[in-house]
Amino acid sequence: MIETLLISVLIIAIGIALLCIKLIFRKDGEFKSMHIHDSQAMKDRGIHCVMDQDREAREQGKAY
């Protein structure tokens, strides 16, 4: 039972370490934003976040 728990904790620790490699070894390392409004490709296509679309619809009086 304890062996299984230790192996599980070790696997989780290795996974977290691998996810953090960029953050640890780069001076300004950070995760890229995954929000739609931060993506230049989405902006080029005219795709907005649902919150932005809702705000625009409320301002135009078309939020039905």
Side-chain angles (χ1 to χ4, degrees):
M1 178 72 177
I2 293 178
E3 293 174 0
T4 306
L5 182 64
L6 290 175
I7 291 172
S8 299
V9 170
L10 180 65
I11 290 172
I12 292 171
I14 290 171
I16 291 172
L18 290 174
L19 286 172
C20 295
I21 286 176
K22 185 176 179 181
L23 295 174
I24 294 170
F25 292 113
R26 294 187 89 187
K27 183 177 180 181
D28 293 328
E30 61 183 29
F31 289 111
K32 300 265 183 184
S33 175
M34 299 302 289
H35 293 278
I36 290 174
H37 66 269
D38 292 332
S39 171
Q40 187 60 42
M42 294 293 186
K43 287 180 185 177
D44 294 342
R45 293 183 179 113
I47 299 172
H48 299 97
C49 173
V50 70
M51 298 300 286
D52 294 337
Q53 289 177 343
D54 184 54
R55 183 174 42 253
E56 291 170 2
R58 287 177 188 270
E59 289 173 356
Q60 296 173 359
K62 298 179 180 178
Y64 298 117

